[in-house]
Amino acid sequence: MKPDQISRVSFMNNQKQQKPTLSGQRFKTRKRDEKERFDPTQFQDCIIQGLTETGTDLEAVAKFLDASGAKLDYRRYAETLFDILVAGGMLAPGGTLADDMMRTDVCVFAAQEDLETMQAFAQVFNKLIRRYKYLEKGFEDEVKKLLLFLKGFSESERNKLAMLTGVLLANGTLNASILNSLYNENLVKEGVSAAFAVKLFKSWINEKDINAVAASLRKVSMDNRLMELFPANKQSVEHFTKYFTEAGLKELSEYVRNQQTIGARKELQKELQEQMSRGDPFKDIILYVKEEMKKNNIPEPVVIGIVWSSVMSTVEWNKKEELVAEQAIKHLKQYSPLLAAFTTQGQSELTLLLKIQEYCYDNIHFMKAFQKIVVLFYKAEVLSEEPILKWYKDAHVAKGKSVFLEQMKKFVEWLKNAEEESESEAEEGD
């Protein structure tokens, strides 16, 4: 062979020996490795047929759903699955059942309207989601959707869904963030949200207590939003309290009232500190505080605690014990007229004394300043004899008790003697 023929043959042999690459290659999947796939209609037909065969025995329903997850694609058709379990068939936008679709009576909406039945259905959902954890998100999305569709359901269907949701919130299957759907403007405007919330909270509190419910709401920052269940012109503590108390939910009414009061107190303290830092005149500050007291029904003993905390937070305190007492007296002398405006009751004075005691104990540099502050307030008519004597006798708290009682001993003796002298002078005058 000629040299050029040899090289051609060699090249062709090399070409034959090259192995094919994997890129672009398609491989047939073995039939047994394929998971059965359905479109939503076929999926629905399978579920409905299975539910119809099990009947109303919810234990059998739970077992059927458990077994079906191995062959049906729950992950893809989670919405269809939950639509069927709640409404009996696939829901069209707005919450209506499509006329041409199969439906089943083995569902929440076709069940009896009582808490015991809804608790049994809650167990079905609970077992299903425990078995197929990936359904958690799909179920949460489903409930959010169902809440937005409330107007499309009958009153009985809404009641059942509310009871079921309350039970599922109580056992932790659902997160309280789903309640965001109830703040939909149209639902709120037509009173659907508030009526639904009554049934929901009743079943939730029946399973747990108000403290557990409050903790769940707080976790998702929903604890201060409950009044949004009503239109803007009805978002008041009075309206909320009246509505839910009449519906048999007094504990929820009291919780919201307390939350509102706490919020108002925090807002008052924040505004007070800003007014003080700006150097607003005391008469303006006093007027503002009294208006807030009236508006939010905040008692004076509570207000004096807020004023004291605000006054003490407006200054950078010296870290040296021997200097801080002098600094405190100078600062508090300036603010005495403000404090005096909110110690018109004996209980307010006693509250202030306890606040001073706790502050001096918690801030160690103030331990020796307690008696000096009390004497200053006595001279400035912020505090009077009777509350001071009562504090000394039995109304003090344990914090720094022995130190502060020792500090006050001579002053208390002086007060008692002064009181006795004034009494004897009064008797001589008679």
Side-chain angles (χ1 to χ4, degrees):
M1 293 177 82
K2 293 180 182 179
D4 59 326
Q5 288 176 319
I6 293 168
S7 63
R8 260 200 314 273
V9 170
S10 174
F11 173 77
M12 288 172 73
N13 286 339
N14 285 339
Q15 285 287 86
K16 286 177 184 176
Q17 289 168 6
Q18 283 182 354
K19 293 181 180 177
T21 61
L22 291 174
S23 62
Q25 295 291 318
R26 291 194 176 195
F27 296 91
K28 284 188 176 180
T29 309
R30 291 178 184 174
K31 198 71 180 171
R32 68 170 180 269
D33 292 337
E34 283 185 348
K35 187 164 186 175
E36 209 170 350
R37 301 283 177 177
F38 299 98
D39 63 35
T41 309
Q42 285 181 304
F43 178 87
Q44 176 183 242
D45 293 349
C46 280
I47 292 292
I48 287 178
Q49 187 182 339
L51 290 175
T52 304
E53 288 171 4
T54 61
T56 54
D57 179 358
L58 294 183
E59 281 289 335
V61 169
K63 286 176 183 174
F64 160 72
L65 293 170
D66 187 300
S68 297
K71 29 180 199 178
L72 299 180
D73 192 356
Y74 282 177
R75 193 185 295 271
R76 176 179 285 188
Y77 299 120
E79 184 178 4
T80 305
L81 174 64
F82 292 128
D83 274 0
I84 295 165
L85 292 174
V86 173
M90 280 197 291
L91 290 169
T96 56
L97 281 171
D99 292 331
D100 56 342
M101 293 289 185
M102 283 180 68
R103 58 187 67 185
T104 176
D105 286 336
V106 186
C107 65
V108 172
F109 283 177
Q112 281 184 278
E113 188 185 327
D114 61 65
L115 185 57
E116 191 178 344
T117 304
M118 292 306 107
Q119 287 169 332
F121 264 100
Q123 282 302 309
V124 172
F125 287 104
N126 201 12
K127 286 175 184 176
L128 177 62
I129 291 162
R130 274 211 311 260
R131 176 71 176 82
Y132 300 103
K133 289 287 284 181
Y134 58 78
L135 286 174
E136 270 182 4
K137 179 70 170 62
F139 186 52
E140 199 169 290
D141 291 342
E142 173 73 10
V143 175
K144 287 176 184 176
K145 179 192 80 175
L146 291 170
L147 297 188
L148 291 174
F149 286 175
L150 285 178
K151 280 171 64 181
F153 305 145
S154 69
E155 186 182 351
S156 177
E157 288 169 346
R158 289 199 292 262
N159 289 343
K160 291 169 196 173
L161 182 59
M163 286 188 279
L164 174 70
T165 306
V167 176
L168 292 168
L169 283 164
N171 66 28
T173 304
L174 284 175
N175 184 289
S177 60
I178 56 104
L179 298 178
N180 266 312
S181 295
L182 291 179
Y183 300 132
N184 174 274
E185 189 179 351
N186 292 324
L187 295 176
V188 169
K189 188 179 177 182
E190 296 190 26
V192 174
S193 294
F196 186 87
V198 167
K199 291 284 184 184
L200 182 150
F201 279 110
K202 275 188 175 178
S203 68
W204 192 355
I205 293 170
N206 180 69
E207 299 288 313
K208 297 282 185 179
D209 59 22
I210 189 63
N211 295 323
V213 171
S216 296
L217 292 171
R218 205 160 38 242
K219 211 175 282 184
V220 294
S221 303
M222 205 76 74
D223 50 326
N224 291 315
R225 293 191 62 196
L226 292 179
M227 278 198 288
E228 292 174 41
L229 292 165
F230 297 100
N233 63 342
K234 292 181 178 177
Q235 286 180 17
S236 67
V237 178
E238 288 69 29
H239 180 77
F240 187 100
T241 302
K242 185 174 185 294
Y243 184 91
F244 280 94
T245 301
E246 286 176 359
L249 282 164
K250 190 180 178 184
E251 57 265 72
L252 185 67
S253 299
E254 288 174 352
Y255 166 71
V256 167
R257 187 179 283 282
N258 289 338
Q259 285 298 108
Q260 196 68 12
T261 304
I262 291 165
R265 291 174 189 178
K266 285 180 181 175
E267 195 57 40
L268 173 60
Q269 182 153 358
K270 184 183 172 186
E271 180 59 28
L272 252 180
Q273 287 169 349
E274 287 177 7
Q275 289 180 359
M276 288 177 190
S277 62
R278 288 196 304 262
D280 290 5
F282 285 164
K283 63 180 177 60
D284 294 346
I285 297 177
I286 291 167
L287 184 65
Y288 163 75
V289 174
K290 287 188 173 177
E291 283 174 355
E292 289 298 303
M293 285 171 68
K294 189 176 178 183
K295 185 169 81 175
N296 294 297
N297 197 29
I298 309 175
E300 190 185 80
V302 172
V303 168
I304 191 61
I306 293 170
V307 175
W308 164 261
S309 298
S310 301
V311 166
M312 297 306 281
S313 66
T314 58
V315 66
E316 189 72 38
W317 296 109
N318 200 303
K319 294 290 185 284
K320 292 184 178 178
E321 193 175 30
E322 62 272 18
L323 298 175
V324 80
E326 187 182 337
Q327 185 189 9
I329 296 304
K330 188 179 177 183
H331 177 69
L332 291 171
K333 191 173 185 179
Q334 179 191 346
Y335 279 94
S336 289
L338 179 61
L339 289 154
F342 302 102
T343 53
T344 64
Q345 304 168 12
Q347 188 57 47
S348 304
E349 293 182 55
L350 201 51
T351 299
L352 178 57
L353 278 161
L354 293 171
K355 291 289 180 185
I356 299 166
Q357 181 185 352
E358 288 172 358
Y359 188 90
C360 291
Y361 179 80
D362 293 337
N363 298 272
I364 196 163
H365 301 302
F366 280 80
M367 285 291 281
K368 291 182 180 177
F370 177 78
Q371 185 260 4
K372 291 175 183 174
I373 294 171
V374 175
V375 171
L376 166 71
F377 283 166
Y378 175 74
K379 289 178 179 176
E381 297 186 349
V382 176
L383 296 172
S384 55
E385 293 169 28
E386 196 176 326
I388 294 172
L389 293 173
K390 182 167 178 54
W391 172 87
Y392 186 82
K393 185 182 178 185
D394 56 19
H396 48 260
V397 290
K399 289 183 172 182
K401 169 184 161 183
S402 57
V403 174
F404 299 139
L405 290 178
E406 183 60 35
Q407 280 183 30
M408 290 290 292
K409 193 174 181 181
K410 287 183 181 177
F411 181 62
V412 166
E413 284 173 5
W414 180 84
L415 281 178
K416 285 178 179 176
N417 291 334
E419 194 177 23
E420 285 169 7
E421 284 174 18
S422 62
E423 282 175 3
S424 59
E425 283 174 9
E427 284 171 7
E428 286 171 13
D430 291 343

